[in-house]
């Protein structure tokens, strides 16, 4: 066990490091499990905090076959695919989810740590495992959470995050992160980014594995990239 002050220090350090990463552009390999079936494909991926994303599922010669995007308020798509990825939670284009996760959860989870309210945290047990690993058990008004963090003098990497909602308005989620890289964005900010991200929803058995290839960080994207015009060819996210 370690003291609450030490647990707070480690959590603040992890949150501070994740906050330096505001956007990602990357080619990626996606593996999704849903309904007992596995789907695999290559995609071009854009993520931008707090909730904007664009996914282009690629065909031969990296030509986008199916494009989905969310601009923070509206969901748009173009093309056809057999991959069951997006599930509507309501009639509005702004109420979508991926595996039951809202756009905010999808983006923040893929960028290295799910969002949660840090103002009302109650620390449970905090255990140091060896020299570098720390397990933090937390509780907020919304959920209980367990984090596994690897800390060394120069970094504080979240390796696992389990989120268990206290109410019936959300799904239990497990996020696993590995293959961290240090990258510098156009703004000169040094970021650490996990290049392999696995998001699991135990209740449904759904999961998605994202492996980033040569990611770019903290790129400023034009808003138009997060909208898809169904009447014209989609703008290439890799430009």
């Amino acid at each position: 066990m370690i003291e609450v002050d030490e647990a707070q220090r480690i959590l603040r350090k992890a949150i501070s490091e994740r906050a330096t990463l505001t956007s990602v552009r990357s080619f990626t390999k996606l593996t999704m499990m849903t309904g007992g079936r596995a789907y695999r494909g290559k995609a071009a991926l854009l993520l931008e905090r707090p909730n904007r994303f664009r996914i282009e599922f690629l065909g031969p010669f990296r030509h986008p076959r199916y494009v989905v995007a969310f601009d923070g308020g509206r969901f748009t798509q173009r093309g056809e695919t057999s991959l069951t990825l997006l599930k509507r939670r309501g009639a509005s284009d702004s109420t979508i989810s991926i595996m039951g996760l809202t756009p905010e959860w999808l983006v923040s989870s893929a960028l290295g740590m799910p969002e949660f309210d840090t103002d009302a945290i109650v620390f449970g047990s905090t255990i140091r495992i060896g020299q570098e690993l720390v397990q933090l058990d937390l509780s907020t008004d919304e959920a209980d959470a367990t984090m596994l963090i690897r800390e060394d003098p120069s970094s504080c990497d979240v390796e696992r995050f389990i989120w268990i909602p206290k109410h019936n308005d959300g799904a239990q989620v497990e996020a696993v992160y590995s293959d961290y890289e240090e990258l510098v964005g156009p703004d000169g900010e040094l970021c650490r980014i996990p290049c392999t991200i696995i998001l699991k929803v135990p209740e449904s058995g759904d999961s998605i594995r994202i492996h980033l290839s040569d990611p770019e960080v903290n790129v400023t994207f034009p808003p138009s990239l997060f909208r898809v015009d169904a009447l014209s060819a989609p703008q290439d996210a890799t430009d």
Side-chain angles (χ1 to χ4, degrees), residues 38-223:
Y39 299 87
R40 297 178 177 85
K42 296 181 180 180
L45 180 68
L46 299 184
L47 300 172
E48 184 179 81
R49 293 190 194 273
N51 58 8
R52 290 174 290 277
F53 67 82
R54 179 186 179 105
I55 308 172
E56 297 185 357
F57 295 92
L58 304 177
F61 309 108
R62 290 184 169 176
H63 177 73
R65 295 182 303 159
Y66 175 60
V67 184
V68 294
F70 185 71
D71 65 2
R74 189 164 66 97
F75 165 72
T76 51
Q77 63 181 327
R78 183 175 185 270
E80 297 181 357
T81 179
S82 61
L83 176 62
T84 304
L85 181 64
L86 293 167
K87 301 176 182 178
R88 297 293 182 91
R89 295 193 305 169
S92 169
D93 282 343
S94 64
T95 55
I96 65 164
S97 65
I98 297 179
M99 304 190 311
L101 306 180
T102 63
E104 289 86 354
W105 261 89
L106 173 70
V107 172
S108 62
S109 297
L111 291 180
M113 180 189 291
E115 298 286 351
F116 61 100
D117 183 5
T118 59
D119 295 330
I121 292 176
V122 176
F123 284 89
S125 62
T126 305
I127 304 170
R128 190 172 289 279
I129 307 170
Q131 295 295 315
E132 296 183 348
L133 281 178
V134 175
Q135 178 179 306
L136 301 180
D137 291 331
L138 317 171
S139 182
T140 72
D141 292 339
E142 298 176 348
D144 295 320
T146 296
M147 300 176 67
L148 190 64
I149 298 174
R150 182 174 298 277
E151 183 189 28
D152 63 31
S154 62
S155 64
C156 199
D157 295 338
V158 178
E159 294 193 349
R160 187 181 298 267
F161 191 110
I162 300 173
W163 176 265
I164 305 174
K166 293 180 177 178
H167 312 291
N168 294 325
D169 56 352
Q172 179 178 336
V173 181
E174 180 179 354
V176 181
Y177 307 101
S178 59
D179 301 326
Y180 274 85
E181 291 186 7
E182 285 192 347
L183 300 173
V184 178
D187 55 2
E189 184 82 61
L190 178 66
C191 302
R192 285 183 63 80
I193 178 174
C195 289
T196 301
I197 304 106
I198 302 173
L199 304 179
K200 304 176 183 178
V201 181
E203 181 179 2
S204 64
D206 290 348
S207 67
I208 185 169
R209 183 182 187 272
I210 304 168
H211 182 73
L212 305 178
S213 175
D214 298 322
E216 300 174 78
V217 298
N218 294 358
V219 178
T220 300
F221 302 122

